[in-house]
Amino acid sequence: MGLDHKLFHGKTLAILSGGGDTPAINSSIECVRNRASMLGFKVYGILQGWKGLLGAGQVVDLTCQPYNGFYGGTALRSSRTNPFSSKPGEDRVGQILTNLKRYKIDVLVTIGGDDTNGAAKKLYEQEGIPVIGFPKTIDNDLRTRTMHHYEGKEIEAVICPGFPSAARTVARLTSMLRTTTDSHQRVMVMEVMGRDAGWLTATSVYGGADMVLVPECPMTAERKDFFFERVKEMFMRSKNRSLIVAVSEGIRWHDEKTGKLDVVHASAETDEYGHARFGGVSGVVASEISHRLGLDARAQISGYYARAGECREYDRRLTSTLADKVVDLLLRNAYGQMPVLNKVVRCDELEEFNTSSIDMGSIGNIPLPDAYYDKNVFGVTDAYRDFLSHVMEPIPELRFEGDFPVVVSE
Ligand code: F6P
């Protein structure tokens, strides 16, 4: 069949990626590009998120170009540019409309989280721009209405492209920390990205973390007392006298000096969506463990490692499956929608029939459910382990007990 017989021949679809990157964005771009091309679209890439639609525009042609979807991050680059946060005298929405017209873009696919897709939805509603959202976040806190069936219960879970690859990295980093933590018989506090939710931090249990602190459970003065008691008890009980505590960057921690419960900021800056940069709480937790309990404690920020590296198999299939749903949305002119997975399944069960779409206006953030976190032990539940077993393989645990017979001198 010649190109001119294809349904969308003569139309142009453009893709952009906004917000924090993930290992699965290039895969999402490649999967959407391939399917859109098959439908007859010319496919453009917009550079640096919404920023690429301002000024003269920064647009590249992705049609028939080689594309490496296994390489992490985004070759279209990203920014946290907000179309609705114009400075005085600057009409960003007007510039976006002008560029969409100038480059003859008929449909826009926005790969992003709540911020990027929220702005896209507003542009669809206010200006009638045909947009389709595509989910992404390593934090995994974007509502996807993905149901987890566990022991007769239905738990509202989330599976967002980027999370499965990041989860593997976090679990692997945790398991690697075990050797140095054991060697020095310390408490290692590992900080993990996650501004508002503990989905990613909780994956550290798959790498052997002994305790997990998540933003869903603020560390008030009382909770802290309870936590320190538990750290002491678990440390003393541990075979190698070592303990790994994973903590989300966005946890609220009671500050004894000020009496306030607050997050630890890495900088005073905020981005165009009003988000502050967090970082450094692991140092605070480690130093309080040392002072209160007299244990040797250290902090390690895993930071951008969680986002880094290649797209792993689950994400590769997930992005491909969700891109199949994008085809359905395009065929039905169903704009203002975002493809999602209906049910938590294993990698080999990812299929288009297990997808649907949700209104981009109602995505919002979703915390780690109570059914997944046990605040009495600062740990995850069996339901969470079951959820995780669907999206990643267990990490081989690094353990060397060194149980040597003691030599008694004569
Ligand atoms: O995209 C979400 C996220 O990964 C958060 O977990 C983290 O706080 C933030 O991005 C960091 O983003 P930036 O690249 O702006 O430092």
Side-chain angles (χ1 to χ4, degrees):
M1 188 165 67
L3 196 67
D4 48 346
H5 290 108
K6 292 194 178 175
L7 202 55
F8 292 96
H9 176 69
K11 300 265 180 207
T12 301
L13 176 145
I15 306 171
L16 66 78
S17 53
D21 77 326
T22 82
I25 302 184
N26 275 329
S27 182
S28 309
I29 294 168
E30 187 191 20
C31 292
V32 171
R33 189 280 306 264
N34 291 351
R35 281 151 185 82
S37 296
M38 277 191 288
L39 293 173
F41 280 105
K42 186 190 274 187
V43 184
Y44 287 167
I46 292 163
L47 301 183
Q48 296 185 66
W50 293 113
K51 198 173 183 183
L53 284 174
L54 302 182
Q58 299 178 76
V59 181
V60 294
D61 194 350
L62 299 177
T63 327
C64 302
Q65 295 302 310
Y67 204 96
N68 185 355
F70 283 97
Y71 192 83
T74 166
L76 293 181
R77 313 305 177 213
S78 188
S79 73
R80 294 193 186 271
T81 304
N82 183 350
F84 295 94
S85 122
S86 309
K87 296 178 187 104
E90 184 195 28
D91 173 17
R92 288 190 178 176
V93 173
Q95 293 177 48
I96 290 172
L97 292 173
T98 304
N99 278 318
L100 291 175
K101 220 183 247 168
R102 180 187 292 158
Y103 291 98
K104 300 188 172 59
I105 293 165
D106 300 291
V107 182
L108 197 55
V109 174
T110 54
I111 302 172
D114 204 14
D115 297 331
T116 306
N117 287 327
K121 170 75 175 177
K122 213 163 153 191
L123 286 170
Y124 168 64
E125 280 172 352
Q126 286 183 11
E127 311 295 336
I129 300 173
V131 295
I132 290 174
F134 200 93
K136 72 92 229 177
T137 167
I138 61 161
D139 294 6
N140 207 44
D141 58 352
L142 192 65
R143 187 178 291 274
T144 57
R145 297 196 200 286
T146 307
M147 292 302 163
H148 176 202
H149 299 272
Y150 178 72
E151 292 194 338
K153 284 179 287 197
E154 255 208 343
I155 303 167
E156 186 185 347
V158 176
I159 297 189
C160 244
F163 170 72
S165 302
R168 168 87 182 39
T169 304
V170 168
R172 174 81 184 122
L173 289 174
T174 314
S175 90
M176 285 170 66
L177 276 179
R178 180 60 68 186
T179 59
T180 176
T181 310
D182 277 0
S183 300
H184 292 271
Q185 299 188 292
R186 281 177 173 152
V187 179
M188 183 64 76
V189 183
M190 181 167 103
E191 185 169 326
V192 181
M193 275 193 178
R195 229 193 302 250
D196 307 303
W199 291 91
L200 188 60
T201 308
T203 65
S204 60
V205 297
Y206 244 42
D210 304 289
M211 296 170 86
V212 180
L213 302 181
V214 294
E216 288 78 355
C217 229
M219 294 300 282
T220 57
E222 299 71 44
R223 287 282 298 160
K224 271 173 63 176
D225 289 343
F226 179 42
F227 167 69
F228 290 124
E229 262 172 45
R230 181 101 190 140
V231 168
K232 178 123 203 175
E233 184 192 318
M234 293 209 34
F235 184 84
M236 298 320 264
R237 265 205 278 132
S238 66
K239 185 121 199 270
N240 289 345
R241 287 277 196 274
S242 79
L243 202 73
I244 298 182
V245 180
V247 55
S248 298
E249 60 173 5
I251 190 144
R252 278 181 294 145
W253 184 261
H254 177 261
D255 180 338
E256 255 117 81
K257 282 192 207 115
T258 62
K260 282 194 191 139
L261 188 64
D262 205 356
V263 286
V264 176
H265 290 85
S267 110
E269 290 162 35
T270 53
D271 67 20
E272 291 193 356
Y273 292 90
H275 304 301
R277 193 133 49 84
F278 298 161
V281 69
S282 52
V284 176
V285 177
S287 117
E288 287 194 35
I289 288 173
S290 295
H291 286 116
R292 284 233 208 168
L293 306 177
L295 299 175
D296 198 16
R298 293 287 190 278
Q300 175 65 58
I301 302 183
S302 60
Y304 296 91
Y305 277 114
R307 281 188 188 171
E310 75 273 21
C311 178
R312 306 206 65 97
E313 198 193 344
Y314 196 97
D315 266 329
R316 191 74 183 131
R317 269 189 86 135
L318 175 63
T319 50
S320 172
T321 303
L322 296 178
D324 286 340
K325 185 66 187 175
V326 170
V327 172
D328 173 52
L329 296 175
L330 287 167
L331 291 171
R332 292 190 288 112
N333 291 333
Y335 302 120
Q337 296 281 306
M338 178 178 90
V340 290
L341 207 61
N342 291 333
K343 214 171 80 175
V344 173
V345 291
R346 291 180 207 285
C347 189
D348 55 0
E349 295 163 336
L350 286 164
E351 299 281 357
E352 200 260 341
F353 72 76
N354 181 22
T355 63
S356 56
S357 65
I358 62 172
D359 188 290
M360 284 164 72
S362 57
I363 38 186
N365 290 105
I366 176 158
L368 189 68
D370 289 348
Y372 284 167
Y373 185 69
D374 184 346
K375 56 182 182 188
N376 296 319
V377 295
F378 301 94
V380 301
T381 61
D382 289 343
Y384 183 74
R385 284 182 185 273
D386 183 76
F387 160 76
L388 216 50
S389 71
H390 287 82
V391 300
M392 67 181 283
E393 297 291 318
I395 302 286
E397 218 184 307
L398 299 175
R399 286 275 181 184
F400 177 38
E401 305 292 0
D403 236 346
F404 308 117
V406 175
V407 179
V408 183
S409 59
E410 287 168 16

